[in-house]
Amino acid sequence: MSVLRKPARTFKIAAFVAAFLASIGMNFAALPAAQAQQASAVLFQNVRIFDGKSATLSAPSNVLIRNNKIEKISVAPIQADAQVIAGGERVLMPGLIDAHWHAMLVRPTPVSAMADDVGYNNLLAAAEATATLMRGFTTVRDMGGPSFGLKRAIDDDLVPGPRIYPSGAVITITGGHGDFRQLTDLPRTIGGMLSRMERIGGSMVADSPDEVRVRAREQLMQGASQVKLTAGGGVASPFSPLDVSTFTELELRAAVEAAENWGTYVAVHAYTPVSIQRSIAAGAKCVEHGHLMDEATARLMAEKGIWLSTQPFLNLEAASALGPSEQAKMRQVVAGTDRVYALAKKYRIKTAFGTDILFSQALAERQGAMLADLTRWYTAAEALTMATSTNAELLSLSGPRNPYPGKLGVVEEGALADLLLVEGNPIDNIRLVEDPARNFLVIMKGGKVYKNLLAQEPSRR
Ligand SMILES: [Zn+2]
């Protein structure tokens, strides 16, 4: 994966072609360079802006997009040679960000994710990626699964989909969350064959600091923007009770060192106080879930500036594709949801919004509805801020490994142009995000329009 290297390579090829054309007497300067620079500009006229931060909308404004960025925002008319989208005082807002997504694991079942042909599962994930973008989620932080190929295809614009901040394979211990082997697969031959889930890059089992280091470095080598470990038990895994802590502090620290040497950070799946506190001691920067945390742990997270990336699980829906023992664990998590948000607010923990939707296309259609569910604890403006500028702040923790340098989650000059034009005001009525097909009239990512109902239905202008 070399998104960052690619322009250099393209440049070398272009330089070679230019030299060749010059050698046969053709003037390269007049040819493709001019075309490549040709502005792909879009002008949103007369929109009220939710900028990703402020609780109020702007006055009617005009927003000029050139190439992949927001070039100019002005209440005065903007003159430009651009495709005009007449906003009619509708709301322009940043594209949504899901901080806990599994692009490869939304549509398959737990069994088919491992058993089905890898090519088929990638195409399935591509279809879901397009659906994700069409729900207005222009960026996802992928918290486990072999999403590197999908990311590349999306970045190359082969497939419409969100920007992906990939973790690659989740790193787990024997029997931990993410170890999907069966008892019949035991005992493992030390130094022997990899299991199916390891071969497809879904998760890697590591039982010592050295093994953790290898697996963390392998994900970074493939382009992981952060490293994900499971520090405690989880719902969707057959052999990890929720209360268990899994990695030792030394094992966790091995991953943290590998990630920090690479300029980025470790995020841990952890529900319990012990697993969260141990991860923080080892240097992890972000806790995924945290539903079973206590006051002391919340205070520690706030003091240390540790991120909480959690999900509004309000019922057993998220475990609907799973068995009775997993549903029992889900019940415990759901019971902790009110508490985790109360503690996050009480201690002002930096809190990100994610959905962690697994194994259900139907559930994925509730991605926006889960965002709206945050209004159980937050105002609509706070919820929308969390899913845009706050989530973007978490993404930027990947530092030099950020695959999409530039500002995300805000509408401001110079930011990447990931934008939604909304029918209605989501700050007044956040439930609008539950029906993206109807209410997101325009969906833009990187300055490119992926959906424009106004163009299709001139009568709506
Ligand atoms: Zn997850």
Short mmCIF file of all heavy atoms in Angstrom, two decimals, residues 214-277:
data_model
loop_
_atom_site.label_atom_id
_atom_site.label_comp_id
_atom_site.label_asym_id
_atom_site.label_seq_id
_atom_site.Cartn_x
_atom_site.Cartn_y
_atom_site.Cartn_z
N VAL A 214 6.11 -8.67 15.96
CA VAL A 214 6.08 -9.12 14.55
C VAL A 214 4.74 -8.76 13.91
O VAL A 214 4.70 -8.17 12.83
CB VAL A 214 6.29 -10.65 14.45
CG1 VAL A 214 6.04 -11.13 13.02
CG2 VAL A 214 7.70 -11.02 14.89
N ARG A 215 3.68 -9.11 14.60
CA ARG A 215 2.35 -8.90 14.00
C ARG A 215 2.02 -7.41 13.88
O ARG A 215 1.41 -6.99 12.88
CB ARG A 215 1.28 -9.62 14.81
CG ARG A 215 1.43 -11.12 14.88
CD ARG A 215 1.73 -11.75 13.55
NE ARG A 215 1.85 -13.20 13.64
CZ ARG A 215 2.41 -13.96 12.71
NH1 ARG A 215 2.93 -13.41 11.61
NH2 ARG A 215 2.47 -15.27 12.86
N ALA A 216 2.42 -6.61 14.86
CA ALA A 216 2.18 -5.16 14.75
C ALA A 216 2.95 -4.60 13.56
O ALA A 216 2.42 -3.84 12.76
CB ALA A 216 2.60 -4.48 16.05
N ARG A 217 4.21 -5.00 13.47
CA ARG A 217 5.03 -4.47 12.37
C ARG A 217 4.52 -4.92 11.01
O ARG A 217 4.62 -4.18 10.03
CB ARG A 217 6.49 -4.90 12.58
CG ARG A 217 7.12 -4.13 13.73
CD ARG A 217 8.51 -4.63 14.05
NE ARG A 217 9.11 -3.81 15.12
CZ ARG A 217 10.16 -4.18 15.82
NH1 ARG A 217 10.75 -5.35 15.60
NH2 ARG A 217 10.65 -3.37 16.75
N GLU A 218 3.97 -6.13 10.95
CA GLU A 218 3.40 -6.58 9.68
C GLU A 218 2.23 -5.70 9.24
O GLU A 218 2.06 -5.40 8.06
CB GLU A 218 2.95 -8.05 9.79
CG GLU A 218 4.10 -9.03 9.76
CD GLU A 218 3.65 -10.47 9.99
OE1 GLU A 218 2.47 -10.70 10.36
OE2 GLU A 218 4.48 -11.36 9.81
N GLN A 219 1.41 -5.28 10.21
CA GLN A 219 0.26 -4.43 9.83
C GLN A 219 0.77 -3.07 9.37
O GLN A 219 0.29 -2.51 8.38
CB GLN A 219 -0.71 -4.26 11.00
CG GLN A 219 -1.22 -5.56 11.65
CD GLN A 219 -1.53 -6.66 10.65
OE1 GLN A 219 -2.26 -6.46 9.69
NE2 GLN A 219 -0.96 -7.85 10.86
N LEU A 220 1.77 -2.54 10.09
CA LEU A 220 2.33 -1.24 9.72
C LEU A 220 2.97 -1.30 8.33
O LEU A 220 2.85 -0.37 7.53
CB LEU A 220 3.35 -0.80 10.77
CG LEU A 220 2.73 -0.52 12.15
CD1 LEU A 220 3.80 -0.49 13.24
CD2 LEU A 220 1.94 0.80 12.14
N MET A 221 3.63 -2.41 8.04
CA MET A 221 4.27 -2.59 6.72
C MET A 221 3.23 -2.54 5.60
O MET A 221 3.51 -2.06 4.51
CB MET A 221 4.99 -3.94 6.71
CG MET A 221 5.75 -4.26 5.44
SD MET A 221 6.63 -5.83 5.69
CE MET A 221 7.27 -6.09 4.03
N GLN A 222 2.03 -3.04 5.91
CA GLN A 222 0.98 -3.06 4.89
C GLN A 222 0.24 -1.73 4.78
O GLN A 222 -0.62 -1.56 3.91
CB GLN A 222 -0.04 -4.17 5.20
CG GLN A 222 0.54 -5.56 5.09
CD GLN A 222 -0.43 -6.60 5.61
OE1 GLN A 222 -1.31 -7.07 4.87
NE2 GLN A 222 -0.30 -6.96 6.87
N GLY A 223 0.55 -0.79 5.67
CA GLY A 223 -0.08 0.52 5.58
C GLY A 223 -1.09 0.82 6.66
O GLY A 223 -1.89 1.75 6.53
N ALA A 224 -1.05 0.06 7.77
CA ALA A 224 -1.97 0.36 8.87
C ALA A 224 -1.71 1.78 9.38
O ALA A 224 -0.57 2.18 9.56
CB ALA A 224 -1.79 -0.64 10.01
N SER A 225 -2.79 2.53 9.59
CA SER A 225 -2.63 3.89 10.11
C SER A 225 -2.62 3.88 11.64
O SER A 225 -2.26 4.87 12.26
CB SER A 225 -3.73 4.81 9.58
OG SER A 225 -5.00 4.23 9.75
N GLN A 226 -3.04 2.78 12.26
CA GLN A 226 -2.95 2.56 13.70
C GLN A 226 -2.99 1.06 13.91
O GLN A 226 -3.35 0.31 13.00
CB GLN A 226 -4.10 3.25 14.46
CG GLN A 226 -5.49 2.71 14.16
CD GLN A 226 -6.05 3.17 12.82
OE1 GLN A 226 -5.84 4.29 12.41
NE2 GLN A 226 -6.73 2.28 12.10
N VAL A 227 -2.59 0.63 15.12
CA VAL A 227 -2.54 -0.80 15.42
C VAL A 227 -3.61 -1.11 16.45
O VAL A 227 -3.80 -0.37 17.41
CB VAL A 227 -1.15 -1.20 15.94
CG1 VAL A 227 -1.13 -2.65 16.39
CG2 VAL A 227 -0.09 -0.96 14.87
N LYS A 228 -4.33 -2.21 16.24
CA LYS A 228 -5.45 -2.57 17.13
C LYS A 228 -5.15 -3.88 17.84
O LYS A 228 -4.87 -4.89 17.20
CB LYS A 228 -6.72 -2.71 16.27
CG LYS A 228 -7.87 -3.49 16.93
CD LYS A 228 -8.85 -2.59 17.64
CE LYS A 228 -10.01 -3.33 18.26
NZ LYS A 228 -10.96 -3.87 17.29
N LEU A 229 -5.23 -3.86 19.15
CA LEU A 229 -5.10 -5.07 19.96
C LEU A 229 -6.37 -5.26 20.78
O LEU A 229 -7.05 -4.28 21.13
CB LEU A 229 -3.91 -4.96 20.93
CG LEU A 229 -2.53 -5.28 20.36
CD1 LEU A 229 -2.01 -4.10 19.56
CD2 LEU A 229 -1.56 -5.63 21.48
N THR A 230 -6.67 -6.51 21.10
CA THR A 230 -7.80 -6.76 21.99
C THR A 230 -7.26 -7.04 23.39
O THR A 230 -6.67 -8.08 23.63
CB THR A 230 -8.66 -7.93 21.48
OG1 THR A 230 -7.86 -9.09 21.37
CG2 THR A 230 -9.28 -7.63 20.13
N ALA A 231 -7.44 -6.06 24.27
CA ALA A 231 -6.86 -6.15 25.61
C ALA A 231 -7.76 -6.89 26.60
O ALA A 231 -7.36 -7.16 27.73
CB ALA A 231 -6.57 -4.75 26.14
N GLY A 232 -8.97 -7.21 26.18
CA GLY A 232 -9.88 -7.94 27.06
C GLY A 232 -10.87 -8.73 26.23
O GLY A 232 -10.86 -8.67 24.99
N GLY A 233 -11.74 -9.45 26.90
CA GLY A 233 -12.72 -10.28 26.22
C GLY A 233 -13.73 -9.46 25.43
O GLY A 233 -13.82 -8.24 25.60
N GLY A 234 -14.47 -10.14 24.54
CA GLY A 234 -15.41 -9.43 23.69
C GLY A 234 -16.67 -10.22 23.44
O GLY A 234 -16.78 -11.40 23.81
N VAL A 235 -17.64 -9.54 22.82
CA VAL A 235 -18.95 -10.15 22.59
C VAL A 235 -18.88 -11.20 21.48
O VAL A 235 -19.28 -12.35 21.66
CB VAL A 235 -19.99 -9.06 22.24
CG1 VAL A 235 -21.31 -9.70 21.80
CG2 VAL A 235 -20.22 -8.15 23.45
N ALA A 236 -18.33 -10.81 20.33
CA ALA A 236 -18.42 -11.66 19.14
C ALA A 236 -17.26 -12.64 19.05
O ALA A 236 -16.66 -12.80 18.01
CB ALA A 236 -18.48 -10.79 17.89
N SER A 237 -16.93 -13.27 20.15
CA SER A 237 -15.88 -14.29 20.09
C SER A 237 -16.23 -15.41 21.03
O SER A 237 -16.63 -15.17 22.18
CB SER A 237 -14.52 -13.69 20.46
OG SER A 237 -14.61 -12.99 21.68
N PRO A 238 -16.10 -16.64 20.58
CA PRO A 238 -16.65 -17.77 21.34
C PRO A 238 -15.92 -18.08 22.65
O PRO A 238 -16.53 -18.62 23.56
CB PRO A 238 -16.53 -18.95 20.35
CG PRO A 238 -15.53 -18.53 19.33
CD PRO A 238 -15.58 -17.04 19.26
N PHE A 239 -14.63 -17.76 22.77
CA PHE A 239 -13.86 -18.24 23.92
C PHE A 239 -13.35 -17.15 24.84
O PHE A 239 -12.50 -17.37 25.66
CB PHE A 239 -12.70 -19.11 23.44
CG PHE A 239 -13.17 -20.30 22.64
CD1 PHE A 239 -13.02 -20.34 21.27
CD2 PHE A 239 -13.83 -21.35 23.27
CE1 PHE A 239 -13.49 -21.42 20.53
CE2 PHE A 239 -14.30 -22.42 22.54
CZ PHE A 239 -14.14 -22.46 21.16
N SER A 240 -13.85 -15.90 24.69
CA SER A 240 -13.34 -14.85 25.58
C SER A 240 -14.46 -14.24 26.41
O SER A 240 -15.24 -13.44 25.95
CB SER A 240 -12.65 -13.75 24.76
OG SER A 240 -13.58 -12.98 24.05
N PRO A 241 -14.54 -14.66 27.70
CA PRO A 241 -15.53 -14.02 28.58
C PRO A 241 -15.25 -12.53 28.66
O PRO A 241 -14.10 -12.10 28.52
CB PRO A 241 -15.27 -14.70 29.94
CG PRO A 241 -14.51 -15.95 29.63
CD PRO A 241 -13.73 -15.66 28.39
N LEU A 242 -16.28 -11.74 28.91
CA LEU A 242 -16.13 -10.28 28.91
C LEU A 242 -15.18 -9.78 29.99
O LEU A 242 -14.53 -8.76 29.83
CB LEU A 242 -17.49 -9.62 29.15
CG LEU A 242 -18.34 -9.24 27.95
CD1 LEU A 242 -19.49 -8.35 28.43
CD2 LEU A 242 -17.54 -8.55 26.87
N ASP A 243 -15.13 -10.50 31.12
CA ASP A 243 -14.37 -9.98 32.26
C ASP A 243 -12.87 -10.21 32.14
O ASP A 243 -12.11 -9.65 32.92
CB ASP A 243 -14.87 -10.65 33.56
CG ASP A 243 -14.69 -12.16 33.50
OD1 ASP A 243 -15.42 -12.81 32.73
OD2 ASP A 243 -13.79 -12.68 34.18
N VAL A 244 -12.43 -11.03 31.17
CA VAL A 244 -11.00 -11.37 31.17
C VAL A 244 -10.13 -10.25 30.61
O VAL A 244 -10.54 -9.50 29.73
CB VAL A 244 -10.70 -12.69 30.40
CG1 VAL A 244 -11.50 -13.84 30.98
CG2 VAL A 244 -10.98 -12.53 28.90
N SER A 245 -8.91 -10.16 31.17
CA SER A 245 -7.87 -9.35 30.56
C SER A 245 -7.03 -10.31 29.74
O SER A 245 -6.85 -11.46 30.13
CB SER A 245 -7.00 -8.70 31.62
OG SER A 245 -7.82 -7.98 32.50
N THR A 246 -6.52 -9.86 28.64
CA THR A 246 -5.85 -10.82 27.77
C THR A 246 -4.35 -10.58 27.71
O THR A 246 -3.59 -11.30 28.35
CB THR A 246 -6.52 -10.85 26.38
OG1 THR A 246 -6.61 -9.53 25.86
CG2 THR A 246 -7.91 -11.41 26.48
N PHE A 247 -3.90 -9.55 27.02
CA PHE A 247 -2.46 -9.34 26.93
C PHE A 247 -1.87 -8.93 28.28
O PHE A 247 -2.52 -8.27 29.09
CB PHE A 247 -2.14 -8.24 25.91
CG PHE A 247 -2.31 -8.68 24.49
CD1 PHE A 247 -3.37 -8.21 23.72
CD2 PHE A 247 -1.41 -9.56 23.90
CE1 PHE A 247 -3.53 -8.60 22.41
CE2 PHE A 247 -1.56 -9.96 22.59
CZ PHE A 247 -2.62 -9.48 21.84
N THR A 248 -0.60 -9.27 28.48
CA THR A 248 0.14 -8.72 29.61
C THR A 248 0.56 -7.29 29.25
O THR A 248 0.52 -6.89 28.09
CB THR A 248 1.42 -9.54 29.90
OG1 THR A 248 2.30 -9.39 28.77
CG2 THR A 248 1.09 -11.01 30.11
N GLU A 249 0.98 -6.56 30.26
CA GLU A 249 1.41 -5.19 30.00
C GLU A 249 2.63 -5.16 29.07
O GLU A 249 2.73 -4.31 28.18
CB GLU A 249 1.73 -4.47 31.32
CG GLU A 249 1.93 -2.98 31.13
CD GLU A 249 2.20 -2.25 32.44
OE1 GLU A 249 1.57 -2.59 33.46
OE2 GLU A 249 3.06 -1.35 32.43
N LEU A 250 3.53 -6.11 29.25
CA LEU A 250 4.72 -6.16 28.39
C LEU A 250 4.34 -6.43 26.93
O LEU A 250 4.94 -5.89 26.00
CB LEU A 250 5.70 -7.24 28.87
CG LEU A 250 6.61 -6.86 30.02
CD1 LEU A 250 7.52 -8.03 30.39
CD2 LEU A 250 7.47 -5.63 29.66
N GLU A 251 3.36 -7.29 26.75
CA GLU A 251 2.91 -7.60 25.38
C GLU A 251 2.27 -6.35 24.75
O GLU A 251 2.56 -6.02 23.59
CB GLU A 251 1.92 -8.77 25.41
CG GLU A 251 2.57 -10.11 25.70
CD GLU A 251 1.58 -11.21 26.06
OE1 GLU A 251 0.42 -10.90 26.46
OE2 GLU A 251 1.96 -12.39 25.96
N LEU A 252 1.43 -5.69 25.53
CA LEU A 252 0.81 -4.46 25.01
C LEU A 252 1.89 -3.42 24.66
O LEU A 252 1.82 -2.75 23.64
CB LEU A 252 -0.16 -3.88 26.03
CG LEU A 252 -1.44 -4.69 26.29
CD1 LEU A 252 -2.11 -4.21 27.56
CD2 LEU A 252 -2.40 -4.56 25.10
N ARG A 253 2.89 -3.35 25.55
CA ARG A 253 3.93 -2.33 25.34
C ARG A 253 4.74 -2.63 24.08
O ARG A 253 5.20 -1.71 23.39
CB ARG A 253 4.83 -2.25 26.57
CG ARG A 253 5.74 -1.02 26.51
CD ARG A 253 6.50 -0.79 27.79
NE ARG A 253 5.61 -0.47 28.89
CZ ARG A 253 5.82 -0.84 30.16
NH1 ARG A 253 6.87 -1.56 30.47
NH2 ARG A 253 4.97 -0.49 31.09
N ALA A 254 4.90 -3.89 23.76
CA ALA A 254 5.65 -4.24 22.53
C ALA A 254 4.94 -3.64 21.31
O ALA A 254 5.59 -3.12 20.39
CB ALA A 254 5.75 -5.75 22.40
N ALA A 255 3.62 -3.70 21.30
CA ALA A 255 2.86 -3.13 20.18
C ALA A 255 2.95 -1.61 20.19
O ALA A 255 3.08 -0.97 19.14
CB ALA A 255 1.40 -3.56 20.25
N VAL A 256 2.87 -1.04 21.40
CA VAL A 256 2.95 0.42 21.50
C VAL A 256 4.29 0.92 20.97
O VAL A 256 4.36 1.90 20.22
CB VAL A 256 2.73 0.88 22.97
CG1 VAL A 256 3.08 2.34 23.15
CG2 VAL A 256 1.28 0.63 23.39
N GLU A 257 5.37 0.23 21.33
CA GLU A 257 6.70 0.63 20.84
C GLU A 257 6.77 0.53 19.33
O GLU A 257 7.29 1.43 18.66
CB GLU A 257 7.79 -0.24 21.49
CG GLU A 257 8.04 0.14 22.95
CD GLU A 257 8.92 -0.87 23.69
OE1 GLU A 257 9.35 -1.88 23.07
OE2 GLU A 257 9.16 -0.64 24.88
N ALA A 258 6.25 -0.57 18.79
CA ALA A 258 6.28 -0.74 17.33
C ALA A 258 5.49 0.37 16.65
O ALA A 258 5.94 0.96 15.65
CB ALA A 258 5.72 -2.10 16.95
N ALA A 259 4.32 0.68 17.19
CA ALA A 259 3.48 1.72 16.59
C ALA A 259 4.13 3.09 16.70
O ALA A 259 4.16 3.87 15.74
CB ALA A 259 2.10 1.73 17.24
N GLU A 260 4.68 3.38 17.89
CA GLU A 260 5.28 4.70 18.09
C GLU A 260 6.56 4.86 17.27
O GLU A 260 6.85 5.95 16.77
CB GLU A 260 5.50 4.97 19.58
CG GLU A 260 4.15 5.19 20.29
CD GLU A 260 4.27 5.59 21.75
OE1 GLU A 260 5.39 5.56 22.30
OE2 GLU A 260 3.22 5.92 22.33
N ASN A 261 7.31 3.79 17.12
CA ASN A 261 8.48 3.85 16.23
C ASN A 261 8.05 4.21 14.82
O ASN A 261 8.82 4.77 14.04
CB ASN A 261 9.21 2.51 16.20
CG ASN A 261 10.03 2.27 17.45
OD1 ASN A 261 10.31 3.21 18.19
ND2 ASN A 261 10.39 1.02 17.71
N TRP A 262 6.85 3.86 14.47
CA TRP A 262 6.30 4.10 13.13
C TRP A 262 5.54 5.44 13.08
O TRP A 262 4.91 5.77 12.10
CB TRP A 262 5.37 2.94 12.75
CG TRP A 262 5.48 2.47 11.34
CD1 TRP A 262 4.52 2.57 10.36
CD2 TRP A 262 6.58 1.79 10.71
NE1 TRP A 262 4.95 2.02 9.18
CE2 TRP A 262 6.22 1.53 9.36
CE3 TRP A 262 7.86 1.39 11.14
CZ2 TRP A 262 7.07 0.88 8.46
CZ3 TRP A 262 8.69 0.74 10.24
CH2 TRP A 262 8.30 0.51 8.93
N GLY A 263 5.53 6.14 14.19
CA GLY A 263 4.89 7.46 14.21
C GLY A 263 3.42 7.45 14.53
O GLY A 263 2.75 8.48 14.45
N THR A 264 2.89 6.28 14.92
CA THR A 264 1.45 6.22 15.16
C THR A 264 1.15 5.60 16.53
O THR A 264 1.99 5.63 17.41
CB THR A 264 0.73 5.53 13.99
OG1 THR A 264 -0.68 5.53 14.25
CG2 THR A 264 1.19 4.08 13.79
N TYR A 265 -0.04 5.07 16.72
CA TYR A 265 -0.51 4.72 18.06
C TYR A 265 -1.24 3.38 18.09
O TYR A 265 -1.59 2.82 17.05
CB TYR A 265 -1.45 5.82 18.57
CG TYR A 265 -2.78 5.86 17.84
CD1 TYR A 265 -3.93 5.31 18.40
CD2 TYR A 265 -2.91 6.43 16.57
CE1 TYR A 265 -5.15 5.32 17.73
CE2 TYR A 265 -4.11 6.46 15.90
CZ TYR A 265 -5.23 5.90 16.48
OH TYR A 265 -6.43 5.92 15.81
N VAL A 266 -1.47 2.91 19.31
CA VAL A 266 -2.23 1.67 19.52
C VAL A 266 -3.61 2.00 20.07
O VAL A 266 -3.75 2.82 20.99
CB VAL A 266 -1.48 0.72 20.49
CG1 VAL A 266 -2.42 -0.36 21.04
CG2 VAL A 266 -0.29 0.07 19.80
N ALA A 267 -4.61 1.37 19.50
CA ALA A 267 -5.97 1.41 20.04
C ALA A 267 -6.29 0.02 20.58
O ALA A 267 -5.94 -0.97 19.95
CB ALA A 267 -6.98 1.79 18.96
N VAL A 268 -6.93 -0.02 21.75
CA VAL A 268 -7.25 -1.32 22.34
C VAL A 268 -8.75 -1.51 22.50
O VAL A 268 -9.47 -0.60 22.90
CB VAL A 268 -6.60 -1.52 23.73
CG1 VAL A 268 -5.10 -1.67 23.60
CG2 VAL A 268 -6.99 -0.41 24.68
N HIS A 269 -9.18 -2.72 22.17
CA HIS A 269 -10.53 -3.16 22.51
C HIS A 269 -10.51 -3.49 23.99
O HIS A 269 -9.73 -4.36 24.41
CB HIS A 269 -10.85 -4.37 21.63
CG HIS A 269 -11.93 -5.26 22.14
ND1 HIS A 269 -13.16 -5.33 21.54
CD2 HIS A 269 -11.96 -6.13 23.18
CE1 HIS A 269 -13.91 -6.21 22.19
NE2 HIS A 269 -13.21 -6.71 23.19
N ALA A 270 -11.30 -2.80 24.80
CA ALA A 270 -11.30 -3.06 26.25
C ALA A 270 -12.61 -2.57 26.85
O ALA A 270 -13.05 -1.45 26.57
CB ALA A 270 -10.12 -2.36 26.92
N TYR A 271 -13.21 -3.40 27.67
CA TYR A 271 -14.45 -3.03 28.37
C TYR A 271 -14.23 -2.74 29.85
O TYR A 271 -14.90 -1.89 30.43
CB TYR A 271 -15.49 -4.16 28.27
CG TYR A 271 -16.14 -4.31 26.92
CD1 TYR A 271 -15.82 -5.37 26.08
CD2 TYR A 271 -17.09 -3.38 26.48
CE1 TYR A 271 -16.42 -5.51 24.84
CE2 TYR A 271 -17.70 -3.51 25.24
CZ TYR A 271 -17.35 -4.58 24.42
OH TYR A 271 -17.94 -4.71 23.19
N THR A 272 -13.31 -3.50 30.47
CA THR A 272 -13.23 -3.50 31.93
C THR A 272 -12.18 -2.53 32.46
O THR A 272 -11.22 -2.20 31.76
CB THR A 272 -12.87 -4.91 32.44
OG1 THR A 272 -11.56 -5.23 31.95
CG2 THR A 272 -13.86 -5.95 31.96
N PRO A 273 -12.33 -2.12 33.73
CA PRO A 273 -11.31 -1.24 34.33
C PRO A 273 -9.89 -1.82 34.24
O PRO A 273 -8.97 -1.12 33.89
CB PRO A 273 -11.78 -1.13 35.79
CG PRO A 273 -13.27 -1.30 35.72
CD PRO A 273 -13.50 -2.30 34.63
N VAL A 274 -9.75 -3.11 34.54
CA VAL A 274 -8.39 -3.69 34.55
C VAL A 274 -7.78 -3.63 33.15
O VAL A 274 -6.63 -3.21 32.97
CB VAL A 274 -8.41 -5.15 35.06
CG1 VAL A 274 -7.04 -5.79 34.89
CG2 VAL A 274 -8.84 -5.19 36.52
N SER A 275 -8.54 -4.03 32.15
CA SER A 275 -7.97 -4.08 30.79
C SER A 275 -7.69 -2.66 30.27
O SER A 275 -6.69 -2.43 29.58
CB SER A 275 -8.89 -4.84 29.83
OG SER A 275 -10.16 -4.25 29.75
N ILE A 276 -8.53 -1.72 30.66
CA ILE A 276 -8.31 -0.33 30.22
C ILE A 276 -7.07 0.25 30.92
O ILE A 276 -6.19 0.81 30.28
CB ILE A 276 -9.54 0.55 30.51
CG1 ILE A 276 -10.75 0.09 29.68
CG2 ILE A 276 -9.23 2.03 30.22
CD1 ILE A 276 -12.06 0.75 30.08
N GLN A 277 -7.02 0.06 32.23
CA GLN A 277 -5.89 0.65 32.99
C GLN A 277 -4.56 0.04 32.58
O GLN A 277 -3.55 0.74 32.47
CB GLN A 277 -6.13 0.46 34.49
CG GLN A 277 -7.28 1.33 34.99
CD GLN A 277 -7.48 1.23 36.49
OE1 GLN A 277 -6.59 0.87 37.22
NE2 GLN A 277 -8.69 1.54 36.94
#
